[in-house]
Each structure stands twice: as structure tokens, then as C-alpha cells.
Amino acid sequence: MNRRKFIKTAGLGVAASATLAAPAIAQSGEIRWRMTASWPKSLDTLFGGCEHLAKRVSDMTGGKFQIRPFAAGEIVPALQVLDAVAAGTVECGHTAPYYYIGKDPTFAFATAIPFGLNQRQQIAWMEFGDGRTLMNEFYKDYNIVGLTAGNTGAQMGGWFRKELKSVADMKGLKMRIGGFAGQVLSRPGLELVPQQLGAPDIYPALEKGTIDAAEWVGPYDDEKLGFNKVAEYYYYPGWWEGGPQLDLMVGMRAWESLSAEYKAILSAASFETYLWTTAKYDAQNPAALRRLIAGGAKLRPFPRDIMAAAWKASNDLYEETSAKNAKFKKVYDNWSKFRDEENRWFRFAEGSFDNFMQSVSLQPIKRG
Amino acid sequence: MNRRKFIKTAGLGVAASATLAAPAIAQSGEIRWRMTASWPKSLDTLFGGCEHLAKRVSDMTGGKFQIRPFAAGEIVPALQVLDAVAAGTVECGHTAPYYYIGKDPTFAFATAIPFGLNQRQQIAWMEFGDGRTLMNEFYKDYNIVGLTAGNTGAQMGGWFRKELKSVADMKGLKMRIGGFAGQVLSRPGLELVPQQLGAPDIYPALEKGTIDAAEWVGPYDDEKLGFNKVAEYYYYPGWWEGGPQLDLMVGMRAWESLSAEYKAILSAASFETYLWTTAKYDAQNPAALRRLIAGGAKLRPFPRDIMAAAWKASNDLYEETSAKNAKFKKVYDNWSKFRDEENRWFRFAEGSFDNFMQSVSLQPIKRG
């Protein structure tokens, strides 16, 4: 809970890796890495974050440490970043760890689980709670090290072709929805049919009617991906992604080859990218939302009974998953205690300030 | 509004400084700087941020760029950091720019003004709005360059010896309150008597009864400074500090002596410290608030008529200050438009998610 802890977790076991053999690559003076991303080039906040991270590492090393980002599909598909890094096909990758819950649901804590942490709480748990320590312990089995390297902020609930009047309207809907949320939404009482698709595949599926609904991030990205052209109702909040984090996954061998200086530089560039990504979304989303509504999008809050059913279904799922999976339980117990403490405090200074400021803002955005 | 812009503002006019003479200090291979801070050593989040920043710069440079932080009073008093950096007494300083509104109220935008930006909105304005560009343009007259290097998150409203039932109870109260807020609170309808004191001087003044109320940051720091021992009522929110930013102020000459690599390293360490400071407060505040309440503190929201009077007084003050001060007006016009846009958007995804999570959190903190 102090500076040393942050550095230790940021530096990811410097003590352990410092005892390894001399870093052969670093000593040659020039390092060239490839970074495979889960994002298409068109998303200048997510893929732009990869470019920002690489540029900053280059700036800090006078061009001696070069990382080249590749978009989804250039080396491997969007949802195979972990596999490519674990196998050593590339040195690192930028992705949302919850894409890999098929391997183990524990991955989700490094991004978001439904009714989870907001952007501030996520980094607080990762760096001053036990988040990063627990996740890197878990990542060891996959031969990777994770650096905190992005966050979108709270997302929107996505685009629906039909208006949702109550929880009954969720039943049977085919929806593109990432991570753990699909499991929640397919439970009794909700019974939606979740689909996991990478960004480039969502629009065609929605256009053809293969799916009835889709969520991605928020106004700025969603406008770029064109979802408003094929679905009219835009729901909030994305209760399954209150502050989803992105990781730079680094292959263990590549990480251990770095000098202590380059490890510090790579992790500082990653932390900066966490801040950069959220700030860019926050700056761009307001105008994008206005454009979407001017173009016909109808902004709607999820009905209360959907929120209540999803909250109950999420808690039930976490209990069941904890009973079956000891790794998940270990992280969940730590995480849920931290989350509850955060929300008890956030309602006072932060929550009441934000609510006041939102209540006095003039010319509110009309909901369409 | 893109990666290049962030880097340009983070790198603070790299183009201009790259044309200067070769950096003599950098070429010698070893740099030793002194950083004077506005904080006592006891505040391990604010002064700890200075130590974190210095440690990270050292880590990234293999110890070749060393910055030694000094607490308030060791070189100059808490509120003279700007002067010491501008005069070249020290190479850099860590402070809240709004301490210098006596020189020009425009300084306040680099920290906070009443009813301003929250932590997320502040960095979005600084880096993807025009904030950093405008502030560094303004800073030029003081011979300094600012790097974004900390944020406390929304603060508490401070400690009062007597309960506030309505706006009439503010009249004549002597309160330690930083920055612009004192001017708002002394206006007609509020008529509080503001005092500007550095951290080490607040407790003795409150204990002796020289002042009736004091605000500092939030539970974690306020507990360390012991205010709960000499005042019973703890108010929220700190509407004058919704997301106050701290700057690393660097003397222009020292800044220009750095190589491009060291400029990038120093600004990355500063951005990381922005994230670090907020995350540390967010992780520590919940338990501190519980301890304060268990010890007898009574948590209270500001009465509605105080919020309404302060909101009106703030807007009046900004209009008047804009009419008199062209530098202030230039920044205020840009800033206020950005703020209003942010709040119109934040109410949807972010606001509704946070409100839901706060509403379902169990075992709420009792208000005492």
C-alpha cells in the first residue's frame, strides 16, 4: 500500500528477473518488438493507444526500443492475442483480457466483470489493492506478464433493433456481447443468446440480422463502426463494463530479456496509455453522442427490472463460478471486498459532486 | 485531438526546444535536480507522489537522472514553490498551481476552480482539450513549464466546529480554504472569511480557534493532519475541488537543458504520478473515513441553499474576473465550454453506472 508496492507491481518482480542472465537483446543496444492488437486500425483510441504506447517507448529510448503495432488480423485475429503472445509468435499484444474467459473466467478481472469497478476503482485495485499481483500470479500459467495499458471508462449498453420495455424483451435476443456479460444475460430470467465477435465482424452481423443487438464501447467508437445505421435504440449504462481495463500482455521471455531501465520505461508508457485512452474517449464522446442523436439514435436507460435481474444473475453466477474454480474464487473474494468498500466511499465526495454538476449543466443532450 | 497532439503537449514544444544549443548537462551523462514540494513529509500520498516521480525517473535512466524531493519548508515554504522554480533556486517543484492566484487567478485552471472538472475531465481537458497548451502559454511569463503530475480526486468539504443548518451559518466563519474558493465564499450571501494556510499551519490554527473551519483533501490526509480532533462536522462534497490537479513546475532553463529522451521520461513519470496519486487516495480513503466516523466525526452533506448560493456566487465571480482579466477570460471560455459538454455526456454511461453501484452497496458507511 505504498510507493514501493506500486513500483514492485509495476516493475513486476524486478527482484526475480534481475537475477536472470544478462539481457542479450538489450545489450546489443537495439530492440525491435512486434505488438499484435485486438483492434482494427479505424479505432484511433484503442489502436491509437497501441501507437501511442510504442511512440512513447521510442521517444524515451531515443529510438533504441522500437515496438511495431499490428492491427487485428494482420498477424493473428482479434481474439487470439493471448495465444500469439504465450506462444512467442510476437513479443507483446494489446487486448482485453476478458476475451479469454473460455480458457478461464479468472481472466475477466483484468478487464471487467458485470457490476464491477469503474475506471478509477480499477487502477486503485490493480496498483494499491492486490489486483496486479493476483493477476500476474494467474498469468504465469500462460507464460505472460500483464502491464496496465488502457481503459475505456464506463461503456454504453449497446444498440438494439427494438425498444426494451421490460426484462421479458431480452428473451431470445441474439446479441454481440463481450466477456462475462454474455453468461449473465443467458441465465434464467434473462435468456438472451450471446455471441462473441471481434470488432470488424459486428456490423455485418447486425446488418444481416444474424444478431439483434450489439455492444462495443461508447459513442465515439460506435459511430465509427456504424451501428447506428442498423439499430435505432441506444441503451445505457453498460453495467457489464463500468471501467474495463486493457492489458499489454508481454511474453515472459521477452519481458525477462529487458534491462531494469527498459522494464520501467515500458511500464510507464503503459500507465500513460491507461490515462491517454480514457482521456481521449472522455474528450471525444460528448460530440459523438450529439451526432448520433442528431442522426436518429434513441437514447434509453435500461428498464429497472433488467438492471435488477442482471444484478441478481451476476451475483448468482459469481457464487457458482467460485464454487467450481479456486483461482476465480481467490481473486473474486479479494476484488468484491475492494469494490464494496470503494462504492461506500465514492458516493460522498465524488458521487455527490458529479451528481450536482450533471444537474446544473445547461442544454442537456436530448434523448431522441 | 490525436496522438500527436498528446505527445506535443506532453513534450511541451519539443520542436522549439530541439533548436536550442546542445544540452550541456545531459551530455555529461549525470543530472541532479532538486524538487521543492508544497507538502510535508507526513503526507505520503502528496509528498509520496514526489518520491514516486523521482524514483521512476531514476529507474528509467539507470540512476543517471536523479531528482531529490524536499518537503515544504526545507528549501522554501509550502506556498513559494512557483517563486523558487521561476527564480531558478531549484530546477523543479511539485505544487497546486492555484496557490498562486494572488499573482493571477488564471493559475487556478491548472488545479481547480469551484464547480469545475472532475479527475477524468481535468486530464481530458489538459491533454485532449486545450488545457495544457493554454496553461503553458500562460506559464511562459513566469519562466516555467508545467507537467501534469497528480490529482487528489474530488475532495471533501472540510471540518466545521459547528453544524451548518443553512447558508446563514456560513456568515463570518473563519475558514482555511485554498485557491479560488475563498473568494467565492466571501461574496454577498455567503460572507465567510477565508484564510490561506499551508498544510502544517492548519491544525494549530483550528486547535487555537483562530479559525472555525478548515478543508484540506479527504479522509486519508485529513486523518493524518488530525482535524477530526478539533472539529466535529465533516462536510461533502468539496464543490471547489472536484478534481484538483497538481503540476510539476519545471524552470524553463532546466527543461530546455534536457535531451528529448529525458523530456519524454520526465513527462511520462509525471503522467504516471497523476494516476498513482489518485489511485492511492482512492484505495486509502474508504478505511480512513470509517475510522474517522468511528472516532466521532459526523458526516454531513452541505445544505442545498449553500450549494445554490455557492454555484451562483462562482458564476458571478467568473463573469467579473473575465471582464477584468483577458488571460483569465481566454482560458475560462475554453474551459467552461469543455466542462459543460463533459457533464452532459457523463450523466449517461458513467453517472448512471456509478449511481447504480452506490445504491446496491451493502453495509453503507453510517454518517455518525
Side-chain angles (χ1 to χ4, degrees):
Chain A
M1 299 295 182
N2 55 22
R3 178 173 54 81
R4 276 183 299 277
K5 178 164 180 192
F6 189 86
I7 291 169
K8 198 180 155 211
T9 57
L12 294 156
V14 167
S17 57
T19 60
L20 294 167
I25 301 171
Q27 284 183 337
S28 79
E30 291 270 334
I31 299 181
R32 292 186 188 278
W33 278 13
R34 299 193 303 169
M35 179 201 299
T36 188
S38 292
W39 332 115
K41 283 212 169 96
S42 62
L43 297 181
D44 63 355
T45 306
L46 294 172
F47 190 73
C50 300
E51 295 177 315
H52 177 81
L53 199 162
K55 173 82 167 68
R56 293 293 277 164
V57 169
S58 175
D59 288 347
M60 287 191 264
T61 62
K64 291 200 191 84
F65 186 177
Q66 296 280 349
I67 302 172
R68 184 170 168 202
F70 291 86
E74 290 192 298
I75 300 176
V76 294
L79 307 182
Q80 291 176 25
V81 171
L82 167 63
D83 308 82
V85 177
T89 309
V90 291
E91 289 81 5
C92 63
H94 195 263
T95 191
Y98 71 4
Y99 289 151
Y100 312 101
I101 58 168
K103 297 179 197 294
D104 191 316
T106 312
F107 275 106
F109 293 104
T111 307
I113 70 172
F115 301 104
L117 304 168
N118 69 20
Q119 189 259 12
R120 292 259 300 268
Q121 296 163 352
Q122 179 70 20
I123 187 77
W125 179 63
M126 290 306 278
E127 303 305 332
F128 290 95
D130 299 314
R132 182 47 80 195
T133 305
L134 288 168
M135 290 314 298
N136 273 336
E137 196 176 288
F138 167 75
Y139 280 178
K140 273 186 190 161
D141 290 346
Y142 298 87
N143 204 27
I144 57 167
V145 158
L147 300 176
T148 303
N151 195 308
T152 64
Q155 299 195 359
M156 290 291 285
W159 299 85
F160 291 74
R161 288 170 171 278
K162 291 189 188 156
E163 192 164 7
L164 302 170
K165 296 291 188 187
S166 78
V167 69
D169 295 334
M170 299 291 266
K171 193 170 177 174
L173 282 185
K174 277 175 271 173
M175 180 174 185
R176 183 279 172 190
I177 182 157
F180 229 143
Q183 290 182 40
V184 169
L185 284 167
S186 63
R187 289 179 69 89
L190 289 153
E191 290 154 76
L192 181 141
V193 184
Q195 315 277 325
Q196 181 133 303
L197 299 169
D201 304 322
I202 306 173
Y203 179 91
L206 199 56
E207 192 187 23
K208 281 180 211 151
T210 315
I211 55 174
D212 308 299
E215 63 83 39
W216 178 248
V217 172
Y220 185 64
D221 276 5
D222 292 1
E223 182 187 34
K224 279 180 186 286
L225 296 176
F227 302 148
N228 54 309
K229 295 176 205 151
V230 284
E232 190 177 17
Y233 294 94
Y234 197 20
Y235 278 86
Y236 67 88
W239 42 265
W240 51 90
E241 297 180 284
Q245 174 186 307
L246 312 169
D247 261 7
L248 181 72
M249 291 182 172
V250 183
M252 191 68 80
R253 191 178 188 141
W255 175 255
E256 285 170 353
S257 76
L258 295 179
S259 66
E261 290 87 333
Y262 281 9
K263 280 178 181 159
I265 284 170
L266 188 61
S267 69
S270 298
F271 283 128
E272 189 184 289
T273 303
Y274 186 91
L275 202 57
W276 184 96
T277 309
T278 312
K280 182 162 177 170
Y281 275 121
D282 287 345
Q284 307 287 5
N285 276 328
L289 183 62
R290 281 187 184 282
R291 289 191 299 269
L292 288 168
I293 291 171
K298 296 185 192 310
L299 194 58
R300 297 285 182 272
F302 278 118
R304 278 174 176 269
D305 64 351
I306 291 181
M307 295 295 286
W311 169 245
K312 183 183 180 306
S314 299
N315 290 325
D316 291 348
L317 178 62
Y318 303 150
E319 292 303 316
E320 289 169 24
T321 310
S322 292
K324 287 187 294 204
N325 181 330
K327 289 181 185 176
F328 182 91
K329 183 180 189 318
K330 182 178 178 181
V331 182
Y332 178 71
D333 288 350
N334 179 282
W335 175 97
S336 59
K337 196 177 159 206
F338 190 93
R339 177 195 65 179
D340 295 346
E341 272 293 278
E342 289 299 292
N343 285 312
R344 284 173 204 131
W345 151 245
F346 262 67
R347 72 175 62 189
F348 297 115
E350 208 70 45
S352 68
F353 178 78
D354 282 348
N355 284 328
F356 183 86
M357 291 309 298
Q358 289 161 19
S359 75
V360 294
S361 75
L362 303 172
Q363 303 173 295
I365 289 175
K366 291 202 177 70
R367 298 186 183 201
Chain B
M1 300 295 180
N2 56 21
R3 179 174 53 82
R4 278 182 297 277
K5 178 164 181 193
F6 190 86
I7 290 168
K8 197 180 159 214
T9 56
L12 295 155
V14 167
S17 58
T19 61
L20 293 168
I25 301 173
Q27 285 183 337
S28 78
E30 291 270 335
I31 299 181
R32 292 187 187 278
W33 278 12
R34 298 193 304 169
M35 179 202 298
T36 188
S38 291
W39 332 113
K41 283 213 168 94
S42 63
L43 297 180
D44 63 354
T45 305
L46 294 172
F47 191 73
C50 300
E51 294 177 316
H52 177 80
L53 199 162
K55 173 81 167 67
R56 294 294 278 166
V57 169
S58 175
D59 288 347
M60 288 191 265
T61 62
K64 292 200 188 85
F65 186 176
Q66 295 279 350
I67 302 172
R68 184 171 167 198
F70 290 85
E74 288 192 300
I75 299 175
V76 293
L79 306 182
Q80 291 176 25
V81 170
L82 167 64
D83 307 82
V85 176
T89 310
V90 290
E91 289 82 5
C92 63
H94 195 264
T95 190
Y98 71 5
Y99 288 151
Y100 312 101
I101 58 168
K103 299 179 195 294
D104 191 313
T106 312
F107 275 106
F109 293 104
T111 306
I113 69 172
F115 301 104
L117 305 168
N118 68 21
Q119 188 259 13
R120 293 259 299 267
Q121 296 163 352
Q122 178 70 20
I123 188 77
W125 178 63
M126 290 305 281
E127 304 304 334
F128 290 94
D130 299 314
R132 181 49 77 195
T133 305
L134 288 167
M135 290 314 298
N136 272 337
E137 197 176 288
F138 167 76
Y139 280 177
K140 273 186 190 158
D141 290 345
Y142 299 86
N143 204 27
I144 57 167
V145 157
L147 300 176
T148 302
N151 195 307
T152 64
Q155 299 196 359
M156 290 292 285
W159 298 85
F160 291 74
R161 287 169 171 277
K162 290 188 189 158
E163 191 163 7
L164 302 171
K165 295 291 189 187
S166 79
V167 70
D169 294 333
M170 299 291 268
K171 194 168 177 175
L173 283 185
K174 278 176 269 172
M175 181 175 183
R176 183 278 171 191
I177 181 157
F180 229 141
Q183 290 183 39
V184 168
L185 284 167
S186 62
R187 289 181 68 89
L190 288 153
E191 292 155 73
L192 180 140
V193 184
Q195 316 278 324
Q196 182 133 301
L197 299 170
D201 303 322
I202 305 172
Y203 179 89
L206 198 57
E207 192 187 23
K208 278 180 214 149
T210 315
I211 56 176
D212 308 301
E215 63 83 39
W216 177 248
V217 172
Y220 185 63
D221 277 5
D222 292 1
E223 182 188 35
K224 278 180 187 285
L225 296 175
F227 302 148
N228 54 308
K229 294 178 206 152
V230 283
E232 192 176 18
Y233 293 95
Y234 197 21
Y235 278 87
Y236 66 89
W239 44 263
W240 51 91
E241 297 180 286
Q245 175 185 307
L246 311 169
D247 262 7
L248 181 72
M249 292 182 171
V250 183
M252 191 68 81
R253 191 180 189 138
W255 176 254
E256 287 169 353
S257 75
L258 295 179
S259 66
E261 291 88 332
Y262 280 9
K263 280 179 179 157
I265 284 169
L266 188 61
S267 69
S270 298
F271 283 129
E272 188 184 291
T273 303
Y274 186 89
L275 202 57
W276 185 96
T277 310
T278 312
K280 183 163 177 169
Y281 274 122
D282 288 345
Q284 307 288 5
N285 276 327
L289 183 61
R290 279 186 187 283
R291 288 192 298 269
L292 288 167
I293 291 171
K298 296 185 191 311
L299 194 59
R300 297 286 182 272
F302 278 118
R304 278 175 177 270
D305 65 351
I306 291 181
M307 295 295 286
W311 169 246
K312 184 183 179 304
S314 299
N315 290 325
D316 291 348
L317 177 62
Y318 303 152
E319 291 304 316
E320 289 170 24
T321 310
S322 292
K324 287 187 295 206
N325 181 329
K327 289 181 185 177
F328 182 91
K329 183 179 190 315
K330 182 177 178 182
V331 183
Y332 178 72
D333 288 351
N334 179 283
W335 175 96
S336 59
K337 196 176 159 207
F338 191 93
R339 177 194 65 177
D340 295 347
E341 272 292 276
E342 289 298 293
N343 285 312
R344 283 174 204 130
W345 151 244
F346 262 68
R347 72 174 63 188
F348 297 116
E350 208 71 45
S352 69
F353 178 77
D354 283 347
N355 284 329
F356 183 85
M357 291 309 297
Q358 289 161 20
S359 75
V360 293
S361 75
L362 303 171
Q363 303 173 293
I365 289 175
K366 292 201 176 70
R367 297 186 184 200

